[in-house]
């Protein structure tokens, strides 16, 4: 598939031809179920949009039955921005319901398949975006990352996925899952495309009170893979990972050394605390954010309710899927009186420690290299137990709790042809260094699809 950089140089007629070609290919690959709809707007370079980002006049459903029938009344800031840069929203990508999940199995539209092995998940929650880019039926896509939802599907599908620093990209028009963690970011075929798309998305927005008013010099024109950096590796993270992930890790360290970077060995408290803190904070915020879906203001309303209370109950019982209900229950529990201090407040303290721990590493290192997931793409149904699925987020959620930028890129393929990705994590608002390092790693490992 033509890259985003190349597509942006095409004359108008060729973009039109490209769009037709894409439509044909999407139809041919319908079985992947990466697109939930082929909505189109404008005539620019087509960009696939995750189904939790508002595009005025389009249905936006977050892959949930509760939002069927809802039509976005305004554009998300990122949509305004990409259109200004010559891109056009093209298709809605499948996802886990309300972005809650790591496999895209919880979508009300059914699962998306991994293009490398149809028996395996594409990752999640931005599984449709990742599968489409990997299968050559999208040039690039937008995803959202609350606890790994851009980086993990990117790793499972063998593409590049980047989560910006919290506050870097406006969340205006992104359906909120966990507001203190959510960020929109690019999912692309290579690091340079990710930088190009990131530049379009980044920038202060007064409509999002958590958006940072800070220097946002574009990174793509300044990309420099020849910079020599100090990169921390976290051996204690890797020791519990699958052997394929360890192999990728060793290969990446060797490649980075060959590129002239300095490797320093560090330890992070890691997974156990990250997962516990994350699933308390994320579900607490989700339970509040999802209270707005009550059958009055958005989408679906249950029929034949006798009174208002019954209408709320029926709408939510019928509209939300099992995983979303589990999160609302968990979140309501940790916020309830008597448990707030024991769970929510404690999780906030742990969150603070995680942030401090990262900051200590960044006193000595420019970047951190870490796995994205403990295994390559797993099989459908393999994570039947919710807790098991949560544990697979071990390496991604810490980055969101600390608000750091990170990028996942493909490193190698297993003997079965499954991609293995790793992530680089950067300092707050230092996306330039993150992209420079990622470009260097990409060049050195030479992943070929
Ligand atoms: N898998 C994580 C969760 O279910 C992350 C999801 C995300 O980043 N949206 O919460």
């Amino acid at each position: 598939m033509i890259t985003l950089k190349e597509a942006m140089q095409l004359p108008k007629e060729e973009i039109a031809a490209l769009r037709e070609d894409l439509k044909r290919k999407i139809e041919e690959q319908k079985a992947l179920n990466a697109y939930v709809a082929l909505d189109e707007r404008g005539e620019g370079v087509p960009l696939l949009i995750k189904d939790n980002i508002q595009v005025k006049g389009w249905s936006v459903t977050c892959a949930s039955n509760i939002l069927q029938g809802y039509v976005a009344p305004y554009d998300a800031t990122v949509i305004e921005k990409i259109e200004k840069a010559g891109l056009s929203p093209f298709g809605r990508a499948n996802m886990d319901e309300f972005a809650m999940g790591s496999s895209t199995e919880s979508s009300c539209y059914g699962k998306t398949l991994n293009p490398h092995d149809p028996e395996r998940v594409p990752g999640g929650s931005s599984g449709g975006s990742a599968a489409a880019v990997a299968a050559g039926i999208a040039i690039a896509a937008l995803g959202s990352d609350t606890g790994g939802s851009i980086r993990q599907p990117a790793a499972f599908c063998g593409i590049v996925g980047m989560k910006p620093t919290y506050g870097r990209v406006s969340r205006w028009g992104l359906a909120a899952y966990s507001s203190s963690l959510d960020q929109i970011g690019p999912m692309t075929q290579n690091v340079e495309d990710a930088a190009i798309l990131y530049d379009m998305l980044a920038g202060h927005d007064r409509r999002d009170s958590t958006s940072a008013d800070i220097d946002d010099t574009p990174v793509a024109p300044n990309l420099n893979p020849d910079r020599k950096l100090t990169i921390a590796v976290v051996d204690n993270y890797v020791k519990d990972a699958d052997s394929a992930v360890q192999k990728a890790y060793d290969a990446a360290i060797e490649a980075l050394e060959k590129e002239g970077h300095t490797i320093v060995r560090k330890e992070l408290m890691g997974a156990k605390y990250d997962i516990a803190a994350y699933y308390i904070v994320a579900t607490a915020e989700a339970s509040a954010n999802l209270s707005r879906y009550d059958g009055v203001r958005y989408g679906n309303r249950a029929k034949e309710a006798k009174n208002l209370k019954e209408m709320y109950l029926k709408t939510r019982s019928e509209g939300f899927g099992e995983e979303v209900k589990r999160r609302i229950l968990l979140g309501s529990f940790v916020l309830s009186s008597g448990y707030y201090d024991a769970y929510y407040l404690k999780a906030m303290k742990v969150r603070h420690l995680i942030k401090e721990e990262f900051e200590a590493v960044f006193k000595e290192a420019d970047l951190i290299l870490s796995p994205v997931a403990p295994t390559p793409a797993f099989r459908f149904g393999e994570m039947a137990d919710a807790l098991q699925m949560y544990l697979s987020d071990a390496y991604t959620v810490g980055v969101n709790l600390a608000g750091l930028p990170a990028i996942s890129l493909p490193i190698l393929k297993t003997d079965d042809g499954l991609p293995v990705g790793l992530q680089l994590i950067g300092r707050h608002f230092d996306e330039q260094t993150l992209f420079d390092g990622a470009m260097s790693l990409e060049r050195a490992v030479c992943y070929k699809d």
Side-chain angles (χ1 to χ4, degrees), residues 50 98-102 124-125 144-150 177 278-279 282 327 390 393 397 400:
K50 187 175 178 178
F98 282 102
M100 296 172 185
S102 314
S125 65
S144 65
D145 192 312
T146 305
S149 279
I150 289 176
Y177 160 13
Y278 171 83
Y279 275 96
R327 308 259 180 138
Y390 298 173
D393 295 333
V397 295
N400 301 75

Side-chain angles (χ1 to χ4, degrees), residues 89-378:
F90 185 93
R92 284 158 45 209
N94 203 6
M95 57 184 278
D96 277 301
E97 185 179 1
F98 282 102
M100 296 172 185
S102 314
S103 66
T104 313
E105 289 169 293
S106 73
S107 163
C108 75
Y109 304 107
K111 62 197 183 194
T112 295
L113 311 185
N114 187 316
H116 298 275
D117 179 349
E119 283 174 14
R120 290 178 189 267
V121 304
S125 65
S126 312
S129 303
V133 174
I137 52 173
I139 297 171
L142 290 187
S144 65
D145 192 312
T146 305
S149 279
I150 289 176
R151 290 162 288 151
Q152 183 257 25
F156 280 12
C157 291
I159 67 159
V160 172
M162 190 263 174
K163 181 200 98 72
T165 307
Y166 183 78
R168 181 61 103 180
V169 174
S170 171
R171 294 182 297 109
W172 173 258
L174 169 69
Y177 160 13
S178 177
S179 312
S180 76
L181 302 164
D182 300 338
Q183 272 291 288
I184 296 170
M187 302 180 75
T188 58
Q189 300 169 57
N190 59 47
V191 173
E192 191 179 15
D193 274 3
I196 291 169
L197 188 48
Y198 160 81
D199 281 339
M200 293 179 200
L201 307 175
H204 180 233
D205 179 12
R206 285 170 51 197
R207 291 173 295 191
D208 170 4
S209 60
T210 61
S211 158
D213 193 359
I214 192 167
D215 175 58
D216 59 359
T217 307
V219 299
N222 304 307
L223 277 174
N224 178 8
D226 296 321
R227 263 175 81 189
K228 302 299 173 231
L229 303 167
T230 301
I231 300 175
V233 297
V234 198
D235 293 337
N236 70 313
Y237 259 40
V238 188
K239 70 177 199 314
D240 299 325
D242 186 272
S243 61
V245 176
Q246 295 189 6
K247 198 171 149 196
Y249 203 67
D250 293 340
I253 293 173
E254 203 186 306
L256 288 168
E257 278 180 324
K258 220 170 62 203
E259 285 274 297
H261 302 296
T262 306
I263 304 292
V264 292
R265 304 210 168 248
K266 292 281 164 201
E267 292 219 339
L268 288 170
M269 278 188 312
K272 199 169 115 197
Y273 299 101
D274 293 5
I275 296 273
Y278 171 83
Y279 275 96
I280 290 172
V281 172
T283 56
E285 292 184 16
S287 71
N289 275 326
L290 270 61
S291 65
R292 69 182 57 137
Y293 304 109
D294 56 5
V296 177
R297 288 167 290 180
Y298 307 95
N300 238 345
R301 176 178 304 169
K303 305 205 168 41
E304 289 158 26
K306 287 200 265 325
N307 53 44
L308 184 64
K309 191 169 171 203
E310 195 178 299
M311 192 277 287
Y312 287 156
L313 283 171
K314 275 185 119 182
T315 298
R316 289 169 68 83
S317 302
E318 290 168 14
F320 288 134
E322 197 188 333
E323 184 55 32
V324 174
K325 285 180 190 162
R326 188 188 343 266
R327 308 259 180 138
I328 293 172
L329 288 172
L330 271 172
S332 308
F333 175 73
V334 299
L335 288 175
S336 57
S337 119
Y339 294 101
Y340 179 88
D341 288 6
Y343 294 104
Y344 183 74
L345 211 59
K346 200 160 180 186
M348 292 302 279
K349 289 178 185 165
V350 174
R351 181 177 190 176
H352 193 74
L353 290 176
I354 292 167
K355 195 165 166 235
E356 279 183 349
E357 203 187 33
F358 273 115
E359 276 162 8
V361 176
F362 285 125
K363 287 215 169 84
E364 285 177 59
D366 302 304
L367 297 171
I368 299 172
L369 177 74
S370 135
V372 177
T375 62
F378 46 85

Side-chain angles (χ1 to χ4, degrees), residues 407-422:
I407 185 166
S408 159
L409 61 157
I411 302 296
L412 49 77
K413 272 190 172 180
T414 65
D415 297 340
D416 306 333
L418 297 177
V420 181
L422 294 178

